[in-house]
PDB file of all heavy atoms in Angstrom:
ATOM      1  N   ASP A 185      -7.697  -9.604  15.783  1.00 96.00           N
ATOM      2  CA  ASP A 185      -8.449 -10.746  15.389  1.00 96.00           C
ATOM      3  C   ASP A 185      -8.449 -10.948  13.848  1.00 96.00           C
ATOM      4  O   ASP A 185      -9.493 -11.109  13.273  1.00 96.00           O
ATOM      5  CB  ASP A 185      -9.861 -10.769  15.957  1.00 96.00           C
ATOM      6  CG  ASP A 185     -10.619  -9.466  15.578  1.00 96.00           C
ATOM      7  OD1 ASP A 185      -9.981  -8.517  14.991  1.00 96.00           O
ATOM      8  OD2 ASP A 185     -11.812  -9.428  15.773  1.00 96.00           O
ATOM      9  N   SER A 186      -7.299 -10.775  13.236  1.00 95.00           N
ATOM     10  CA  SER A 186      -7.208 -11.022  11.826  1.00 95.00           C
ATOM     11  C   SER A 186      -7.705 -12.439  11.489  1.00 95.00           C
ATOM     12  O   SER A 186      -7.409 -13.376  12.170  1.00 95.00           O
ATOM     13  CB  SER A 186      -5.801 -10.868  11.333  1.00 95.00           C
ATOM     14  OG  SER A 186      -5.647 -11.308   9.994  1.00 95.00           O
ATOM     15  N   PRO A 187      -8.506 -12.548  10.399  1.00 92.00           N
ATOM     16  CA  PRO A 187      -8.976 -13.887  10.056  1.00 92.00           C
ATOM     17  C   PRO A 187      -7.874 -14.788   9.536  1.00 92.00           C
ATOM     18  O   PRO A 187      -8.054 -15.999   9.516  1.00 92.00           O
ATOM     19  CB  PRO A 187      -9.951 -13.580   8.935  1.00 92.00           C
ATOM     20  CG  PRO A 187      -9.545 -12.245   8.380  1.00 92.00           C
ATOM     21  CD  PRO A 187      -9.039 -11.507   9.539  1.00 92.00           C
ATOM     22  N   LYS A 188      -6.740 -14.261   9.218  1.00 90.00           N
ATOM     23  CA  LYS A 188      -5.626 -15.064   8.825  1.00 90.00           C
ATOM     24  C   LYS A 188      -4.473 -14.742   9.764  1.00 90.00           C
ATOM     25  O   LYS A 188      -4.128 -13.570   9.986  1.00 90.00           O
ATOM     26  CB  LYS A 188      -5.190 -14.731   7.371  1.00 90.00           C
ATOM     27  CG  LYS A 188      -3.980 -15.500   6.866  1.00 90.00           C
ATOM     28  CD  LYS A 188      -3.664 -15.097   5.438  1.00 90.00           C
ATOM     29  CE  LYS A 188      -2.401 -15.821   4.950  1.00 90.00           C
ATOM     30  NZ  LYS A 188      -2.021 -15.472   3.615  1.00 90.00           N
ATOM     31  N   PRO A 189      -3.888 -15.751  10.391  1.00 93.00           N
ATOM     32  CA  PRO A 189      -2.758 -15.506  11.265  1.00 93.00           C
ATOM     33  C   PRO A 189      -1.589 -14.808  10.639  1.00 93.00           C
ATOM     34  O   PRO A 189      -1.435 -14.962   9.376  1.00 93.00           O
ATOM     35  CB  PRO A 189      -2.368 -16.927  11.739  1.00 93.00           C
ATOM     36  CG  PRO A 189      -3.518 -17.801  11.465  1.00 93.00           C
ATOM     37  CD  PRO A 189      -4.170 -17.204  10.217  1.00 93.00           C
ATOM     38  N   PRO A 190      -0.832 -14.046  11.387  1.00 95.00           N
ATOM     39  CA  PRO A 190      -0.980 -13.723  12.812  1.00 95.00           C
ATOM     40  C   PRO A 190      -2.123 -12.745  13.009  1.00 95.00           C
ATOM     41  O   PRO A 190      -2.384 -11.876  12.219  1.00 95.00           O
ATOM     42  CB  PRO A 190       0.395 -13.113  13.178  1.00 95.00           C
ATOM     43  CG  PRO A 190       0.883 -12.546  11.907  1.00 95.00           C
ATOM     44  CD  PRO A 190       0.426 -13.485  10.837  1.00 95.00           C
ATOM     45  N   SER A 191      -2.749 -12.832  14.194  1.00 97.00           N
ATOM     46  CA  SER A 191      -3.969 -12.079  14.450  1.00 97.00           C
ATOM     47  C   SER A 191      -3.754 -10.605  14.774  1.00 97.00           C
ATOM     48  O   SER A 191      -4.622  -9.763  14.541  1.00 97.00           O
ATOM     49  CB  SER A 191      -4.751 -12.760  15.584  1.00 97.00           C
ATOM     50  OG  SER A 191      -3.962 -12.834  16.730  1.00 97.00           O
ATOM     51  N   ASN A 192      -2.552 -10.318  15.286  1.00 98.00           N
ATOM     52  CA  ASN A 192      -2.278  -8.864  15.708  1.00 98.00           C
ATOM     53  C   ASN A 192      -1.614  -8.140  14.525  1.00 98.00           C
ATOM     54  O   ASN A 192      -0.566  -8.524  14.030  1.00 98.00           O
ATOM     55  CB  ASN A 192      -1.335  -8.847  16.888  1.00 98.00           C
ATOM     56  CG  ASN A 192      -1.940  -9.412  18.136  1.00 98.00           C
ATOM     57  OD1 ASN A 192      -3.174  -9.433  18.271  1.00 98.00           O
ATOM     58  ND2 ASN A 192      -1.119  -9.964  18.968  1.00 98.00           N
ATOM     59  N   ARG A 193      -2.252  -7.025  14.133  1.00 98.00           N
ATOM     60  CA  ARG A 193      -1.783  -6.199  13.031  1.00 98.00           C
ATOM     61  C   ARG A 193      -2.012  -4.728  13.304  1.00 98.00           C
ATOM     62  O   ARG A 193      -2.921  -4.368  14.058  1.00 98.00           O
ATOM     63  CB  ARG A 193      -2.482  -6.594  11.778  1.00 98.00           C
ATOM     64  CG  ARG A 193      -2.341  -8.085  11.399  1.00 98.00           C
ATOM     65  CD  ARG A 193      -2.988  -8.433  10.164  1.00 98.00           C
ATOM     66  NE  ARG A 193      -2.857  -9.838   9.818  1.00 98.00           N
ATOM     67  CZ  ARG A 193      -2.901 -10.336   8.600  1.00 98.00           C
ATOM     68  NH1 ARG A 193      -3.130  -9.531   7.504  1.00 98.00           N
ATOM     69  NH2 ARG A 193      -2.743 -11.656   8.339  1.00 98.00           N
TER      70      ARG A 193
END
Side-chain angles (χ1 to χ4, degrees):
D185 56 350
S186 168
K188 180 181 177 182
S191 58
N192 293 334
R193 304 182 179 203

